[in-house]
Amino acid sequence: MRFLAQLFPEFAGQLDAMDTLYAQKRLIDEKTYQFICFAVSIKARSKPCVLKHF
């Protein structure tokens, strides 16, 4: 995430805001959330995101 924050600080900030919003609402359990994030990371071919959610 640090690499992403260096290149695209506004985008990284929005990702952090999304994580904060999820933590407040808790519509699904944490494990399911991480599996969804992991799957989306693989689909997007984002190595930093795959590493974060793996």
Side-chain angles (χ1 to χ4, degrees):
M1 185 71 140
R2 286 177 275 164
F3 180 70
L4 186 63
Q6 290 174 355
L7 295 177
F8 306 103
E10 295 165 355
F11 181 69
Q14 290 298 317
L15 289 176
D16 289 339
M18 193 169 60
D19 284 341
T20 302
L21 182 62
Y22 163 73
Q24 293 171 353
K25 299 286 182 175
R26 294 279 180 191
L27 299 175
I28 55 177
D29 64 289
E30 182 66 23
K31 188 173 185 178
T32 303
Y33 174 73
Q34 291 299 328
F35 277 136
I36 292 169
C37 290
F38 185 59
V40 171
S41 299
I42 291 171
K43 179 67 178 167
R45 298 177 184 234
S46 173
K47 184 179 179 179
C49 292
V50 168
L51 294 174
K52 176 182 177 186
H53 295 290
F54 182 72

